[in-house]
Amino acid sequence: MSASAPRAVVTGIGITAPNGLGNDAYWAATRVGKSGIGRITRFDPTRYPAQLAGEVPGFTAAEHLPSRLMAQTDHMTRLALVATDWALADAGVVPNELPAYSMGVVTASSSGGFEFGQGELQKLWSQGSQYVSAYQSFAWFYAVNSGQISIRNGMKGPSGVVVSDQAGGLDALAQARRQIRKGTKLVVSGSVDASICPWGWVAQLAGGRLATGDDPGTAYLPFDAAAAGHVPGEGGAILVVEDETAAAQRGADVYGHLAGYGATFDPAPGADRPPGLRKAIELALSDAGFEPGDIDVVFADAAAVPELDRAEAQALNAVFGPRGVPVTAPKTMTGRLYSGAAPLDVATAFLAMREGLVPATVNVEPDPGHELDLVTGQPRALPVRNALVLARGHGGFNSAVVVSAS
């Protein structure tokens, strides 16, 4: 990064998570290890081998959004719109007071509005094409959250969507930082995913990585000898990313900045090359101008698939040394939120910086073979200046972001 390139700071956060709706509720739950994982209620999961998920509690979209939006949006988009409203309010931003072309939107998505799409397909099959909503043309689409956020808030600057599964949430934030460096003053970024419906559930089951246990306390156990797949969830975090100078001019309170980013892609199965996660970490540290010792905590991807946990642990050990840095996976309280997971980890890192408290990885008994300093049981009081957030997407995507309080 050149000396003249503006820093991208985070001034607002909006969270919709399975263990807390809103920043305060989420952090109050996360800091004490309260889980939001339970048996699915959004549909009857009895016939499916996996029946647990992290569902956002107490969310009634009609209490937050105008009725005209209800007919044209999926549950996922409603969550994203409300999270955006909260993030903008947290940042003290009133969009219609800013130039429209100075604001952009970059989100990530791994599935799109599957629940909306399922409903319209059911109408097509059972009633006929004349009963299918015209909104089906976009309500299911990967880019719909970016589109609806930009329309609702009059944001006409550079916008887009990133589709790289779990890694996409970090890739979107990196794209937001890129736009800030190019001159955009404010970018709404992050992700909210939600596919807890039969159509989305079948798609997730096809990946072969879902936990099939029925006990919420033992189903999702990353870095544990009993790891047997992940529990999915819905939700995520939306962040307001701003040009540091512009944020200072309006007197904004700043959580910190996006200091470094790296992304790689794993080699094809059977190739005589190592996985790419270590390289992504090294690229992110180099981009931030940091050494491994500058990182106070790592928010792990935490796949809970034995070979993937092993690969992540090996990458961390190679960069930081065995047990060389505290590692945590608060997503054990929410499930894996796909593209929404990493932005939520970034938000959690900023909240941890403010309190000097690293949340625990709940329910896990660390496998000593991984040689990780995993924060388990109780949260750890720890000054957090710089954090590393990791995310891996199905098919070989690896992304790493360094966030800093200074």
Side-chain angles (χ1 to χ4, degrees):
M1 167 176 156
S2 70
S4 61
R7 293 207 307 180
V9 298
V10 173
T11 57
I13 293 172
I15 292 172
T16 57
N19 63 339
L21 187 59
N23 299 357
D24 291 344
Y26 167 75
W27 183 243
T30 299
R31 68 187 303 280
V32 299
K34 180 181 177 182
S35 175
I37 292 174
R39 181 177 167 84
I40 291 171
T41 64
R42 293 187 63 78
F43 66 93
D44 182 3
T46 302
R47 296 178 295 166
Y48 300 90
Q51 300 178 6
L52 299 177
E55 298 177 317
V56 174
F59 179 71
T60 303
E63 295 177 356
H64 305 280
L65 299 171
S67 58
R68 62 177 178 77
L69 281 174
M70 303 302 292
Q72 60 181 274
T73 53
D74 179 78
H75 177 62
M76 169 197 73
T77 301
R78 295 167 187 170
L79 288 169
L81 289 170
V82 171
T84 300
D85 288 350
W86 291 343
L88 291 168
D90 187 40
V93 169
V94 180
N96 63 15
E97 295 179 354
L98 299 175
Y101 289 94
S102 72
M103 302 178 290
V105 183
V106 182
T107 67
S109 178
S110 68
S111 58
F114 272 18
E115 187 174 41
F116 190 101
Q118 176 181 309
E120 298 311 307
L121 287 173
Q122 287 175 323
K123 292 177 185 177
L124 174 65
W125 297 331
S126 63
Q127 297 175 271
S129 59
Q130 67 270 31
Y131 292 94
V132 177
S133 169
Y135 297 122
Q136 167 68 356
S137 61
F138 62 79
W140 69 272
F141 191 48
Y142 299 98
V144 66
N145 287 358
S146 287
Q148 290 284 15
I149 291 168
S150 64
I151 293 168
R152 177 169 168 78
N153 295 286
M155 296 174 170
K156 299 182 179 181
S159 299
V161 64
V162 180
V163 183
S164 46
D165 190 33
Q166 189 100 356
L170 295 184
D171 297 337
L173 291 173
Q175 290 291 335
R177 184 180 71 154
R178 180 174 297 173
Q179 295 302 335
I180 294 295
R181 289 178 171 181
K182 289 181 176 180
T184 304
K185 298 305 180 184
L186 180 151
V187 181
V188 169
S189 191
S191 178
V192 170
D193 252 334
S195 292
I196 302 179
C197 62
W199 183 13
W201 204 245
V202 169
Q204 293 176 68
L205 284 166
R209 295 182 180 176
L210 265 60
T212 56
D214 59 5
D215 179 358
T218 60
Y220 180 29
L221 301 173
F223 306 113
D224 191 305
H230 70 267
V231 173
E234 64 180 9
I238 297 295
L239 285 72
V240 175
V241 183
E242 290 191 68
D243 173 289
E244 183 175 37
T245 300
Q249 287 175 344
R250 64 180 193 83
D253 187 15
V254 173
Y255 285 97
H257 77 283
L258 304 176
Y261 167 69
T264 59
F265 198 78
D266 287 340
D272 188 23
R273 289 182 290 133
L277 183 60
R278 175 183 177 179
K279 184 64 174 178
I281 295 170
E282 292 171 342
L283 288 170
L285 290 173
S286 176
D287 185 39
F290 287 177
E291 298 295 329
D294 294 321
I295 298 298
D296 300 305
V297 63
V298 174
F299 285 76
D301 175 69
V305 175
E307 60 269 25
L308 295 177
D309 285 353
R310 190 178 310 113
E312 184 169 20
Q314 289 172 347
L316 291 173
N317 292 337
V319 175
F320 298 98
R323 300 181 179 87
V325 64
V327 178
T328 188
K331 58 174 64 73
T332 50
M333 293 175 252
T334 63
R336 284 172 70 86
L337 312 184
Y338 298 100
S339 67
L344 183 58
D345 277 346
V346 169
T348 307
F350 284 128
L351 296 174
M353 289 172 183
R354 290 205 161 179
E355 186 165 342
L357 190 74
V358 175
T361 308
V362 303
N363 303 320
V364 170
E365 182 65 35
D367 182 343
H370 290 314
E371 298 186 291
L372 294 178
D373 178 16
L374 197 65
V375 179
T376 60
Q378 298 297 317
R380 186 179 299 182
L382 179 72
V384 179
R385 302 157 299 163
N386 308 307
L388 173 69
V389 179
L390 304 180
R392 293 174 292 175
H394 195 82
F397 298 97
N398 303 291
S399 293
V401 161
V402 174
V403 295
S404 178
S406 60

